[in-house]
């Protein structure tokens, strides 16, 4: 993690300690597809409508897929979702991108597929307004990423025994379940949130993105996360569901020496030797599991009322004095100036 946030690393480590004491985390990858959503335009609605019907047809899907897939060894078109607004047509291409985050790869494929549509499918009156028409959606808040996913979709879960909740997290199962419901679910609903049903996924995602050479601006959608907590036979069952984690282990900032060393440390550096995409998918699982740790620790600090005290002693720029010792057992639990 690379962060200027006081005690964020200590806090997340505390969450990891609790997860490990409970036997570890499991992750399930439910989707893998980067998206690009160009905008094309026509003079009349009749022609825009014809384009949408063709794109949605079997022939349209096949033609675009063949064109798109011919541009890369790694990009494989999964779906094309279309929408129309007046004479504008938006096409959300979704594709696997091997171990690359994939924006360059997918843009190249989109450009070629649109060229084929224009020159070989009878749409030479089509204007390519923008290869990115914000229907992607990249680096802006958008419900489409929350609902349809973008990049890797991952769910991570851990079960924390009740004695570990007490000894490591200084809280109890029912207090945590209630805090999660009232804050992360109801509180976020009251605020009209889209994808923000968590305490501080953004803190962990951004710190890992910086450390591993990801595109930090993609934290906008990569932090989409809903945290769920339940009392399971007296123990704490916690999960984070994150539909749009955008990561790669090759290309872009991953090639920088320090960031590349971090990927190496995690065992996911570069291209996977036998199954392209496995390294990037593993990195997404690591991000989700780390968010799980961050959620555990911060929510515990909040439930125990330790957050403000921990911040006052650890997170202010003044040199701490002997009298500002951490809250009992806090162990730097807050770790979050904004949450
Ligand atoms: P991005 O598309 O994420 O912006 P790049 O433009 O750097 O990243 O694309 C990744 C480059 O790495 C491409 O040229 C691709 O052919 C190459 N490459 C080699 N091995 C892999 C792999 N396993 N997965 C993805 N890309 C790979």
């Amino acid at each position: 993690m690379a962060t200027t946030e006081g005690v964020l690393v200590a806090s997340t480590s505390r969450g990891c300690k609790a997860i490990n004491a409970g036997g570890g985390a499991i992750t399930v990858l439910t989707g893998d597809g980067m998206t690009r959503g160009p905008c094309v335009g026509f003079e009349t609605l009749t022609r825009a409508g014809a384009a949408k019907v063709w794109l949605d047809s079997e022939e349209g899907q096949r033609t675009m897929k063949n064109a798109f897939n011919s541009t890369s060894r790694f990009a494989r078109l999964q779906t094309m979702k279309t929408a129309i607004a007046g004479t504008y047509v938006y096409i959300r291409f979704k594709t696997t991108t091997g171990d690359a985050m994939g924006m360059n790869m997918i843009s190249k494929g989109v450009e070629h597929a649109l060229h084929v549509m224009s020159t070989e499918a009878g749409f030479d009156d089509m204007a390519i307004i923008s290869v990115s028409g914000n229907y992607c959606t990249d680096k802006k808040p958008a419900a489409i990423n929350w609902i349809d996913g973008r990049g890797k979709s991952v769910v991570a879960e851990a079960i924390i025994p009740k004695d570990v909740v007490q000894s490591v997290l200084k809280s109890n199962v029912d207090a945590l379940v209630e805090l999660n419901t009232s804050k992360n679910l109801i509180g976020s609903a009251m605020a009209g949130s889209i994808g923000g049903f968590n305490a501080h996924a953004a803190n962990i995602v951004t710190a890992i993105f910086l450390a591993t050479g990801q595109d930090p601006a993609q934290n906008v959608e990569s932090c989409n996360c809903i945290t769920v907590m339940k009392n399971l036979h007296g123990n704490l069952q916690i999960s984070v569901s994150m539909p749009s984690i955008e990561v790669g282990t090759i290309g872009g900032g991953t090639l920088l020496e320090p960031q590349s060393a971090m990927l190496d440390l995690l065992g996911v550096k570069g291209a996977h030797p036998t199954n392209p995409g496995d390294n990037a998918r593993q990195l997404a699982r690591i991000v989700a599991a780390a968010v799980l740790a961050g959620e555990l620790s911060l929510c515990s600090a909040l439930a125990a009322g330790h957050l403000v005290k921990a911040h006052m002693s650890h997170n202010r720029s003044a040199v701490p004095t002997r009298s500002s010792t951490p809250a009992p057992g806090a162990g730097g639990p807050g770790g979050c100036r904004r949450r």
Side-chain angles (χ1 to χ4, degrees), residues 1-303:
M1 294 167 70
T3 180
T4 53
E5 184 96 22
V7 296
L8 181 63
V9 176
S11 174
T12 313
S13 298
R14 183 173 78 142
C16 290
K17 187 176 172 186
I19 292 171
N20 286 334
I26 66 145
T27 57
V28 173
L29 190 123
T30 59
D32 180 7
M34 182 42 81
T35 65
R36 187 48 112 188
C39 171
V40 298
F42 294 87
E43 224 170 84
T44 63
L45 173 60
T46 307
R47 289 296 293 153
K52 178 167 167 37
V53 168
W54 181 79
L55 284 163
D56 293 346
S57 71
E58 235 174 72
E59 187 205 332
Q61 298 267 325
R62 192 177 53 248
T63 305
M64 296 296 269
K65 194 171 191 165
N66 289 342
F68 184 93
N69 290 353
S70 72
T71 61
S72 164
R73 283 177 296 153
F74 301 100
R76 290 292 169 265
L77 189 63
Q78 296 173 347
T79 55
M80 255 189 343
K81 177 191 176 93
T82 58
I84 189 165
T87 53
Y88 295 121
V89 180
Y90 298 84
I91 314 161
R92 193 174 194 254
F93 291 78
K94 189 168 198 182
T95 173
T96 49
T97 53
D99 290 302
M101 179 275 291
M103 285 314 308
N104 283 331
M105 198 182 283
I106 188 170
S107 299
K108 185 174 153 199
V110 166
E111 209 166 69
H112 181 64
L114 292 179
H115 175 73
V116 167
M117 179 178 171
S118 164
T119 55
E120 295 174 26
F123 293 101
D124 54 359
D125 55 336
M126 173 174 84
I128 298 171
I129 312 274
S130 173
V131 73
S132 166
N134 278 12
Y135 196 51
C136 319
T137 294
D138 194 42
K139 304 177 180 174
K140 275 87 60 182
I144 201 162
N145 295 331
W146 172 238
I147 295 166
D148 279 359
R150 186 169 200 254
K152 278 57 174 162
S153 305
V154 181
V155 184
E157 183 207 71
I159 294 168
I160 318 294
K162 69 168 180 288
D163 57 313
V164 174
V165 173
Q166 268 147 24
S167 61
V168 177
L169 300 172
K170 318 294 178 199
S171 185
N172 69 75
V173 174
D174 289 334
L176 273 170
V177 170
E178 176 164 22
L179 180 119
N180 187 65
T181 304
S182 55
K183 170 187 165 65
N184 291 338
L185 305 185
I186 301 175
S188 294
M190 294 298 287
S193 176
I194 294 173
F197 298 92
N198 61 82
H200 70 151
N203 263 332
I204 284 82
V205 168
T206 309
I208 297 181
F209 271 31
L210 290 172
T212 59
Q214 309 306 312
D215 187 335
Q218 287 184 324
N219 76 354
V220 175
E221 57 273 30
S222 296
C223 298
N224 278 334
C225 172
I226 184 164
T227 301
V228 177
M229 294 193 203
K230 285 186 189 169
N231 181 327
L232 185 70
H233 314 306
N235 302 316
L236 178 72
Q237 183 183 40
I238 176 172
S239 67
V240 293
S241 300
M242 303 182 67
S244 42
I245 302 176
E246 297 160 5
V247 289
T249 58
I250 193 166
T254 66
L255 301 172
L256 300 170
E257 212 175 309
Q259 281 79 357
S260 164
M262 290 299 111
L263 290 169
D264 205 19
L265 193 80
L266 295 170
V268 293
K269 181 179 157 182
H272 191 276
T274 52
N275 196 16
D278 270 4
N279 276 353
R281 286 187 281 269
Q282 179 66 10
L283 180 58
R285 290 175 190 268
I286 291 169
V287 169
V291 167
L292 192 69
E295 291 293 276
L296 257 184
S297 188
L298 173 57
C299 290
S300 300
L302 286 167

